Every structure is written in C-alpha cells, then in structure tokens.
C-alpha cells in the first residue's frame, strides 16, 4: 500500500460520515421549521440516486468503509427526502381545508 493511499483512504471514509452529517443538519432545520418550501426535492432525489450508485460500487469493490459511509449518507438523504415530501403534503392538505 502506498503512503498516499494509506493516508487518503481513512480521510475519504471520514468524509463520507461528514457528508451524512450535513444531511442531518438540513434534516434538523427542516423538522425545526416544518417548512420544505425552499428545499429542492429533485436535487435531493438526484443526490440519493448518485449515493445509491456509489454504494453499489463500494459493495462491488468490497470497500466496506466506503460502503458503510455511503449507507449512512443514503439513510440521511432518504430521511430528508421523506420529510420534504411529508411537509409539502401536509401543507397542501392544510391549504385545501
């Protein structure tokens, strides 16, 4: 294993968990404000699709640190998507009443 790979792999794996944490920050703000109007659902759905492809690649390459980090990001991103849909649906129901 080269020195660059030895240094880069743990940093890359840690960055995946930081990525998941950033989704959680957005999720926290969404739950706190209960407003999804200024959040792009299509953008987060595209992110989710990209994360899914990367998770499949990590699994295929047997890179389990990468795979676990991608799964964490998928869970955080998927949760955010579900809450965006929930708050938009809830707002539409209120406007019809």
């Amino acid at each position: 294993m080269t020195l660059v790979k030895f240094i880069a792999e743990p940093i890359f794996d840690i960055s995946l968990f930081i990525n998941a944490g950033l989704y959680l920050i957005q999720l926290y703000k969404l739950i706190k404000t209960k407003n999804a109007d200024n959040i792009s659902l299509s953008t987060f759905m595209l992110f989710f699709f990209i994360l899914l492809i990367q998770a499949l690649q990590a699994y295929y390459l047997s890179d389990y640190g990468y795979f676990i980090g991608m799964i964490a990001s998928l869970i955080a991103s998927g949760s955010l998507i579900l809450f965006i849909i929930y708050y938009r649906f809830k707002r539409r129901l209120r406007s019809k009443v």
Side-chain angles (χ1 to χ4, degrees), residues 16 19-20 23 44-56 66-82:
L16 294 170
N19 181 45
Y23 283 110
F44 281 106
M45 290 178 81
L46 182 59
F47 286 154
F48 184 86
F49 180 70
I50 292 168
L51 291 169
L52 181 61
I53 291 171
Q54 290 176 328
L56 292 173
Y66 182 36
F67 180 70
I68 292 169
M70 295 311 302
I71 295 299
S73 291
L74 276 169
I75 291 169
S77 177
S79 299
L80 184 59
I81 289 168
L82 291 175

